[in-house]
Amino acid sequence: MTLFAAEPRRRSRSRTVGWAFVIGAVVLGLLASLLPSPYLIEVPGPVYNTIGTQEQGSGKDAKAVKLIQIEGHETYPTAGALDMLTVGIQGDATNRPAWTSVIRALFTKSQAVIPASAIYPEGVSTDQVNQQDEADMQSSQQSAVAAALIQQGYRLPTDLEVGTVQKGSAAEGVIEKGDVIRSFDGTALTTNADATSLRELVAKHGTSTPAKVVVERDGAQETVEVTPRSEQGTALIGVGVTERYDFPFTVSIKLQDVGGPSAGMMFALGIIDEITPGKLNGGKHVAGTGTITADGEVGAIGGIRQKMYGAKDAGATVFLAPADNCDEVVGHVPAGLDVYKVSTLDQAVTDLQTIGSGKSTAKLARCTS
């Protein structure tokens, strides 16, 4: 009798230990779900029509403000939309999403989970990131205006203003922040592609002899000598320059509370639509994204999956994507959205003209696997 009674008692203890593990695991899981994760979540953000308006102000002071405002040049009626997209970020440098939100995002097509360090590196605050985003937006808007006007045949005089002088570089103590570089080795730098030309001129000069650089400082020009130094096999003088354009008429972009450089291409298309007869998009609802350089090169951006879903939700049927983002586009296009890949502003304009005219789009480039 005693021998038979011992076995059930062993089973009873096993059940007790097993339930303890289950309850413990559940409690730990609940606690973990409330703990912040080391991740951020990207979600579709607000959408803005570059040829439309944005509600600005609050309460009685709220009003619809036209995003692209042009003075000194004739403008023409537009129709449809040329939407620029944004990405919302859940979390910031100090506040992170809970694990439950992260797990949910992993199974949501319109969301993405990214390491917090991708946006907020160690030691960088939310305010610092926001300030950089604002600076990037301002720079991209100037590039968009320049790209649009150059695409339309304007030749823009350009100042190359020194924004940074690298510590320990050849230029330190010779060239100063705020200087305007007028020429290098006798070659004037006054056209819309001279940031690239300056690098090419420095590389061509080499590192064996001093180069003569004419700078404008405090309204006066002076000639200085700088001997480029080799950095990873490339001759450099160690300055960062910003292109400052002299536009033939005034183009103001009035977008508020949005940062980053990824709206450049869509603003350039919006400007072109405003200053040329006809409707560039044929009145269709088009969305897109991509950085832009003054010479019209379209660059990759982040969060393109979220932007495609944001475009779809806003009613767009056509989406222009940077060619360099195609690997993230393939397999993730929302139903009902036609996506075309572009690498230059010229190509984007041609694509829109084809799409807007109702002609066959079979020959337009698309992202493929």
Side-chain angles (χ1 to χ4, degrees):
M1 297 287 293
T2 303
L3 291 175
F4 288 104
E7 187 174 354
R9 284 198 296 271
R10 285 198 297 271
R11 286 200 301 269
S12 178
R13 285 196 298 272
S14 296
R15 290 193 187 98
T16 301
V17 172
W19 278 111
F21 275 118
V22 170
I23 294 171
V26 170
V27 171
L28 288 174
L30 290 172
L31 289 174
S33 70
L34 299 175
L35 294 175
S37 70
Y39 299 103
L40 301 174
I41 300 172
E42 292 182 328
V43 299
V47 176
Y48 302 97
N49 179 11
T50 61
I51 53 175
T53 61
Q54 178 190 27
E55 191 75 14
Q56 297 179 8
S58 59
K60 294 181 180 179
D61 296 327
K63 61 179 180 179
V65 177
K66 188 171 175 58
L67 291 189
I68 297 175
Q69 299 183 10
I70 297 171
E71 297 179 8
H73 190 285
E74 186 175 2
T75 58
Y76 300 89
T78 60
L82 290 172
D83 285 344
M84 56 151 286
L85 296 316
T86 67
V87 175
I89 302 294
Q90 293 182 355
D92 56 31
T94 55
N95 301 299
R96 307 293 168 76
W99 280 101
T100 49
S101 298
V102 170
I103 294 170
R104 188 183 306 114
L106 290 172
F107 296 94
T108 305
K109 290 182 178 180
S110 62
Q111 299 182 6
V113 176
I114 60 172
S117 59
I119 295 180
Y120 300 103
E122 186 175 353
V124 176
S125 69
T126 300
D127 285 343
Q128 288 173 316
V129 170
N130 290 341
Q131 289 171 7
Q132 184 59 55
D133 283 345
E134 184 177 351
D136 288 344
M137 173 58 78
Q138 294 299 320
S139 177
S140 74
Q141 290 177 0
Q142 178 172 256
S143 294
V145 177
L149 299 192
I150 292 168
Q151 198 277 336
Q152 288 296 299
Y154 290 92
R155 187 169 179 81
L156 304 180
T158 309
D159 286 340
L160 293 185
E161 183 176 331
V162 176
T164 59
V165 179
Q166 184 179 340
K167 188 175 182 180
S169 68
E172 186 180 23
V174 182
I175 296 177
E176 300 178 2
K177 181 179 179 181
D179 284 353
V180 174
I181 300 179
R182 293 301 185 190
S183 70
F184 185 92
D185 271 350
T187 300
L189 299 174
T190 56
T191 64
N192 46 258
D194 285 331
T196 299
S197 297
L198 176 61
R199 289 191 292 270
E200 293 174 349
L201 290 170
V202 172
K204 182 179 179 180
H205 179 90
T207 60
S208 58
T209 60
K212 290 185 177 180
V213 184
V214 176
V215 300
E216 184 175 311
R217 182 181 302 161
D218 298 327
Q221 289 191 7
E222 60 180 281
T223 301
V224 298
E225 290 190 346
V226 181
T227 303
R229 297 176 185 172
S230 179
E231 298 285 346
Q232 298 181 343
T234 302
L236 300 172
I237 60 174
V239 298
V241 296
T242 300
E243 293 179 307
R244 198 172 61 193
Y245 304 98
D246 183 10
F247 297 124
F249 53 91
T250 302
V251 180
S252 302
I253 297 176
K254 299 297 185 179
L255 181 67
Q256 290 187 353
D257 302 324
V258 178
S262 64
M265 179 183 70
M266 296 310 295
F267 272 123
L269 290 172
I271 293 165
I272 293 171
D273 197 13
E274 293 274 359
I275 65 174
T276 56
K279 299 171 179 59
L280 183 61
N281 56 1
K284 297 182 183 297
H285 194 147
V286 177
T289 187
T291 62
I292 197 76
T293 61
D295 56 358
E297 182 179 348
V298 176
I301 51 82
I304 194 163
R305 297 183 191 179
Q306 289 67 53
K307 289 179 179 179
M308 287 191 294
Y309 277 95
K312 171 65 176 175
D313 291 344
T317 56
V318 175
F319 189 95
L320 303 180
D324 288 341
N325 280 117
C326 275
D327 57 337
E328 300 172 80
V329 169
V330 174
H332 300 282
V333 178
L337 191 67
D338 287 329
V339 179
Y340 301 91
K341 70 173 182 179
V342 295
S343 55
T344 66
L345 182 58
D346 281 340
Q347 182 187 359
V349 169
T350 300
D351 284 3
L352 282 185
Q353 290 171 336
T354 301
I355 294 165
S357 68
K359 296 178 181 178
S360 172
T361 59
K363 292 184 179 181
L364 300 186
R366 296 174 181 263
C367 293
T368 58
S369 58

